[in-house]
């Protein structure tokens, strides 16, 4: 049973990817994609129901699995080298060559191939990741069926590129599941580089000059992380004699083990995680990825790629717990959180806001990993879960909106309810779940702030950065939600919104998931999060009674807050229904307002008609990219140098 479920989560998506690539045609694709994501999601649920396990397959079709992955490693690096050679990109070629040389030294001179290393190991953390990847990622792939049809009609393509697109989308899911289940770090490295290749191919999918430029940037930045990953493998094999994650974590708990020989490879692994998670100064690759079709953006941000980075940092956290490296990671993550939250404030492009807010939340997760207490790790896992659902939802909403109105600018979404009433309501709910209690994201941020307040190292700067960063997130989310809160005139019915089933269903399921899992957050914590923190501390970080989270620092009453929210909503709905046509009036323009051809305006110079326009302040002079990016990158590089230098 176990081998079937692991096969369904890791290998089956690859087979489905091959099928969707070679069996062309809309009819076949419309069957293969939903069936394959359903099977992958079912396998993930099956694995989660089994609980923790170790599984070490020795061979596939009579071929040694270790040998096969080694061959695939070199083949993958050779393919990336050829891509770089074709582009003439010396930096990518050089970093690929370094990885090849490192893997040759590791495989043929350092490793004892007679020593068996467990291939796959799953605990609550990795199983939670598998559920997110397979379910949220699967819904995004399904959404892509309806989205890509209209996307390609807009591009006026002579030949569909959807077989290639869905090949890499499905391959992405399998590679991510393999990555989070891998116990052998050399296997994890292989899946790590598969995700790098998939992201490059998907970001550059449309083939425009802008897409190619941003795909290339994503490739070289992530290849830099790959070099760090290989360096970590060599150091770990040399110093510990094993690449088993479980063995390394067990040995790190022994007295006197947390020396430079262990902490330096941990720092390299964290650096690799930072590049994958697009932490400053590597944020530009993820922002540039916004040129890709919306399903790619949603997949990168919610359930793949960037989540691989924070997963690695959290997974290895026990190995650097209680060290200066841990404190440096906390400071770095907190700085990313406040810096990219500030950058998000200066954006009116909806996708850019989502991109910077993703990087900010990943920074918050990394800060929690650096704080490295049971409460902080609980906050990190809760953030991963609820961020994946809400952010995946919002990206899909923006994609649907952009295809309808031709813009992803927040100001263009003013009055969206009159055009797309269902999507407008879902988008507002998605934004609310990101910024207000009692939803899961706010619960997780409350946990993060409490863990920072009780941190033993660097507590004052951590609390300041996390508190200010949280305030900035409320600013840009509230501003966006406020734009979309317009409605139809009293007595006027909104139009019926038409969407493909493959677009409508993921939106409905994800919005229900964002609200429903928040309502069930006490059970989510008890079943998934609390077991994941057992590796970091014996006692649970919180006690949960009747929907109330409690520890020594405070309480978060989920169900009482939901009850209050429900009462407030019913009161507001009742009041809204009493509003009559007489409540609607034109905006007051000092007595000079006019209406011409259905447009509202006022008397301007020479008694001319001037149409009114409303807009938000985006404060580009304070929070614009041109204003902040250079300073943020310099500070981030200094923090990285301190982190790496501090372990020596």
């Amino acid at each position: 049973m176990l081998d079937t479920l692991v096969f369904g989560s890791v290998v089956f998506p690859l087979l489905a990817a091959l099928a969707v690539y070679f069996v062309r045609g809309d009819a076949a694709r419309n069957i293969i994609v939903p069936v394959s994501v359903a099977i992958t999601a079912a396998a993930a649920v099956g694995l989660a129901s089994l609980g923790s396990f170790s599984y070490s397959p020795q061979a596939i079709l009579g071929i040694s699995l270790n040998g096969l992955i080694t061959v695939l490693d070199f083949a993958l690096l050779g393919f990336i080298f050829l891509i770089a050679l074709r582009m003439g990109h010396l930096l990518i070629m050089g970093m690929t060559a370094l990885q090849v040389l490192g893997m040759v030294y590791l495989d043929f001179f350092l490793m004892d191939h007679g020593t068996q290393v467990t291939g796959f190991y799953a605990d609550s953390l990795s199983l939670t990741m598998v559920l997110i990847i397979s379910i949220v990622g699967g819904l995004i792939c399904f959404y892509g069926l309806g989205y890509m049809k209209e996307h390609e009609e807009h591009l006026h393509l002579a030949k569909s590129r959807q077989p290639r697109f869905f090949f890499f989308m499905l391959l992405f899911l399998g590679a991510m599941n393999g990555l989070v289940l891998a116990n052998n770090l050399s296997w994890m490295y292989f899946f790590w580089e598969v995700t790098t290749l998939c992201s490059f191919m998907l970001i550059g999918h449309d083939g425009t000059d802008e897409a190619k430029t941003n795909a290339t940037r994503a490739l070289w930045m992530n290849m830099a992380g790959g070099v760090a990953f290989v360096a970590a493998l060599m150091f770990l094999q040399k110093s510990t004699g094993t690449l088993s994650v479980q063995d390394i974590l067990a040995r790190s708990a022994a007295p006197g083990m947390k020396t430079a020989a262990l902490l330096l490879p941990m720092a390299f692994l964290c650096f690799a995680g930072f590049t994958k998670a697009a932490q400053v100064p590597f944020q530009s690759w993820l922002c540039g990825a916004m040129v890709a079709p919306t399903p790619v953006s949603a997949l990168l941000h919610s359930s793949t790629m960037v989540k691989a980075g924070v997963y690695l940092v959290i997974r290895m956290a026990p190995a650097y717990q209680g060290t200066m490296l841990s404190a440096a990671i906390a400071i770095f993550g907190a700085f990313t959180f406040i810096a990219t939250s500030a950058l998000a404030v200066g954006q009116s492009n909806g996708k850019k806001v989502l991109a910077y807010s993703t990087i900010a939340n990943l920074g918050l997760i990394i800060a929690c990993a650096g704080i490295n207490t049971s409460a902080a790790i609980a906050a990190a896992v809760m953030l991963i879960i609820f961020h994946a659902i809400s952010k995946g939802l919002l990206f899909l909403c923006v994609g649907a909106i952009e295809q309808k109105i031709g813009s992803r600018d927040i100001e263009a979404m003013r009055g969206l309810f009159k055009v797309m009433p269902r999507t407008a309501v879902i988008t507002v709910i998605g934004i609310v779940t990101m910024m207000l209690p009692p939803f899961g994201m706010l619960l997780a941020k409350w946990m993060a702030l409490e863990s920072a307040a009780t941190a033993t190292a660097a507590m004052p700067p951590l609390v300041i950065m996390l508190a200010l960063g949280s305030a900035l997130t409320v600013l840009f989310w509230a501003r966006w939600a406020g734009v979309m809160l317009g409605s139809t005139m009293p007595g006027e019915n909104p139009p019926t919104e038409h969407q493909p089933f493959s677009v409508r269903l993921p939106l409905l399921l994800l919005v229900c998931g964002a609200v429903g899992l928040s309502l069930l957050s006490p059970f989510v914590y008890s079943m998934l999060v609390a077991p994941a923190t057992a590796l970091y501390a014996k006692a649970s970080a919180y006690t949960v009674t009747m929907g109330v989270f409690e520890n020594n620092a405070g309480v978060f009453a989920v169900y009482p807050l939901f009850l209050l929210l429900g009462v407030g909503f019913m009161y507001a709905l009742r009041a809204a229904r009493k509003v009559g046509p007489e409540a609607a009036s034109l905006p007051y323009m000092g007595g000079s307002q006019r209406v011409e051809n259905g447009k509202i305006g006022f008397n301007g110079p020479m008694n001319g008609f001037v149409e009114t326009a409303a807009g938000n302040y985006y404060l580009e002079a304070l929070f614009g990219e041109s204003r902040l990016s250079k300073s943020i990158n310099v500070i981030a590089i200094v923090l990285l140098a301190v982190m790496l230098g501090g372990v020596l």
Side-chain angles (χ1 to χ4, degrees):
M1 183 65 173
L2 177 59
D3 54 351
T4 303
L5 293 175
V6 172
F7 180 89
S9 298
V10 180
V11 181
F12 178 76
L14 169 60
L15 300 179
L18 292 171
V20 83
Y21 184 79
F22 288 108
V23 184
R24 305 203 167 205
D26 291 345
R29 187 164 49 250
N30 290 338
I31 295 173
I32 293 171
V33 172
V35 169
S36 60
V37 298
I39 291 174
T40 304
V45 172
L47 284 177
S49 68
L50 292 179
S52 299
F53 65 84
S54 294
Y55 175 56
S56 192
Q58 300 301 315
I60 182 169
L61 300 177
I63 304 172
S64 166
L65 209 52
N66 278 321
L68 179 61
I69 287 182
T70 299
V71 171
L72 291 175
D73 254 336
F74 286 112
L76 177 63
L77 290 172
F79 183 67
I80 294 174
F81 186 86
L82 289 176
I83 291 173
L85 184 63
R86 188 179 64 184
M87 295 189 300
H89 202 292
L90 294 177
L91 180 59
I92 297 176
M93 291 166 61
M95 288 190 290
T96 307
L98 283 175
Q99 291 183 63
V100 171
L101 292 173
M103 291 303 293
V104 168
Y105 181 61
L106 175 68
D107 283 315
F108 298 104
F109 297 97
L110 285 180
M111 289 185 68
D112 178 8
H113 292 282
T115 303
Q116 293 295 323
V117 175
T118 301
F120 294 113
Y121 173 81
D123 60 6
S124 187
L125 174 60
S126 50
L127 291 173
T128 298
M129 291 295 298
V130 169
L131 288 171
I132 291 171
I133 294 160
S134 302
I135 296 175
V136 178
L139 285 173
I140 292 168
C141 289
F142 183 61
Y143 170 95
L145 289 171
Y147 179 91
M148 290 305 294
K149 181 180 179 181
E150 188 165 340
H151 181 75
E152 291 193 340
E153 288 175 359
H154 175 73
L155 294 178
H156 306 293
L157 296 181
K159 183 179 179 181
S160 174
R161 299 175 188 159
Q162 290 188 55
R164 176 184 180 276
F165 177 83
F166 284 102
F167 171 82
F168 285 107
M169 292 284 282
L170 294 173
L171 179 62
F172 222 146
L173 298 185
M176 275 297 300
N177 280 334
L179 190 156
V180 300
L181 289 173
N183 176 65
N184 188 329
L185 280 172
S186 65
W187 291 20
M188 186 185 292
Y189 167 74
F190 167 68
F191 292 118
W192 186 273
E193 290 302 77
V194 172
T195 65
T196 296
L197 177 64
C198 288
S199 65
F200 168 75
M201 292 296 188
L202 288 169
I203 293 169
H205 174 77
D206 283 346
T208 63
D209 290 340
E210 185 182 13
K212 291 176 182 177
T213 299
N214 286 292
T216 302
R217 183 190 299 120
L219 183 58
W220 78 254
M221 286 190 173
N222 281 283
M223 290 302 286
V227 172
F229 204 123
V230 172
L233 296 183
M234 291 190 294
F235 277 110
L236 283 170
Q237 183 64 40
K238 187 74 173 177
S239 61
T240 67
T242 182
L243 294 180
S244 167
V245 172
Q246 295 308 303
D247 288 349
I248 291 168
L249 297 182
R251 295 182 190 188
S252 69
M257 277 297 295
K258 291 177 181 176
T259 61
L262 179 65
L263 293 180
L264 183 59
M266 290 301 109
F268 282 139
L269 286 176
C270 288
F271 179 85
F274 296 164
T275 60
K276 189 72 78 175
Q279 299 296 277
V280 291
F282 307 106
Q283 75 277 12
S284 59
W285 82 256
L286 191 60
C287 293
M290 298 303 99
V291 301
T294 292
V296 177
S297 303
L299 199 65
L300 289 174
H301 284 255
S302 65
S303 54
T304 65
M305 198 62 176
V306 295
K307 289 297 196 300
V310 294
Y311 169 79
L312 180 62
V313 176
I314 295 171
R315 170 56 69 202
M316 306 309 295
Y320 55 80
Q321 191 175 37
T323 66
M324 287 302 296
L325 174 61
S326 193
I329 290 169
I331 290 293
F332 181 82
F335 174 73
T336 296
F337 178 57
I338 188 173
T340 50
S341 294
L343 287 168
V345 170
Q347 303 300 316
S348 64
N349 183 314
K351 275 195 171 183
K352 273 286 188 77
V353 173
L354 294 177
Y356 278 125
S357 68
T358 290
I359 300 167
N361 279 292
L362 296 172
L364 181 57
I365 293 169
I366 287 173
C368 290
I371 294 169
N372 225 333
T373 61
S374 178
I377 299 300
V381 179
M382 292 285 279
L383 282 166
I384 288 173
I385 295 170
F386 288 102
H387 178 265
I389 299 169
S390 293
K391 190 56 64 70
L393 169 66
L394 287 172
F395 263 108
L396 299 189
C397 286
V398 170
I401 292 167
E402 183 181 11
Q403 286 195 332
K404 181 67 175 180
I405 68 173
S407 174
R408 63 181 65 163
D409 193 277
I410 292 172
E411 293 301 321
M413 299 179 193
R414 194 177 296 274
L416 185 69
F417 186 80
K418 295 181 179 179
V419 181
M420 304 176 72
R422 181 176 58 244
T423 303
V425 170
I426 290 174
T427 305
V428 170
I429 294 173
I431 292 172
V432 167
T433 62
M434 288 292 295
M435 72 171 184
L436 290 179
F439 296 102
M441 277 298 294
L442 250 293
L443 170 61
K445 284 186 178 180
W446 168 76
M447 290 178 171
L449 284 167
E450 282 205 340
S451 62
T454 56
T456 55
M459 186 271 283
L462 276 176
V463 172
I464 291 171
M465 285 190 285
L466 295 190
L468 290 177
S470 296
L472 291 172
T473 62
V474 173
L475 172 59
F476 62 74
W477 287 130
R479 183 176 60 195
W480 191 348
V483 165
M484 301 185 67
L485 285 177
S487 181
T488 54
M489 295 290 286
E492 180 183 347
N493 294 322
T496 301
E497 185 176 349
H498 299 285
Q499 284 176 331
F501 178 72
S502 63
V503 171
R504 184 170 68 252
L505 181 64
L507 294 182
L508 293 174
L509 290 178
L510 286 172
V511 74
C512 290
V515 176
L517 282 184
S518 294
L519 185 62
L520 298 174
S521 56
F523 299 98
V524 172
Y525 175 82
S526 300
M527 297 172 65
L528 295 176
V529 180
T533 64
L535 190 63
Y536 306 85
K538 293 181 179 179
S540 178
Y542 297 92
T543 58
V544 183
T545 307
M546 301 294 290
V548 177
F549 288 78
E550 184 176 2
N551 67 359
N552 294 332
V555 297
F556 191 100
V558 175
Y559 291 154
L561 285 172
F562 260 109
L563 180 62
L564 195 63
L565 178 68
V567 171
F569 177 78
M570 293 304 296
Y571 177 80
L573 185 63
R574 183 180 177 185
R577 286 176 173 173
K578 293 180 179 179
V579 175
E582 67 278 0
S585 62
L586 295 178
Y588 181 66
M589 300 288 175
S592 297
Q593 60 264 35
R594 285 168 57 184
V595 178
E596 286 193 8
N597 300 321
K599 297 179 180 179
I600 302 171
F602 58 90
N603 288 325
M606 305 294 293
N607 204 34
F609 176 76
V610 179
E611 186 178 356
T612 57
N616 282 303
Y617 284 110
Y618 291 91
L619 307 173
E620 291 93 339
L622 293 174
F623 298 109
E625 289 174 306
S626 59
R627 175 81 175 182
L628 294 179
S629 292
K630 185 176 180 180
S631 300
I632 287 171
N633 290 342
V634 169
I635 296 171
I637 291 170
V638 170
L639 290 175
L640 283 175
V642 170
M643 182 189 82
L644 293 171
V647 301
L648 298 176

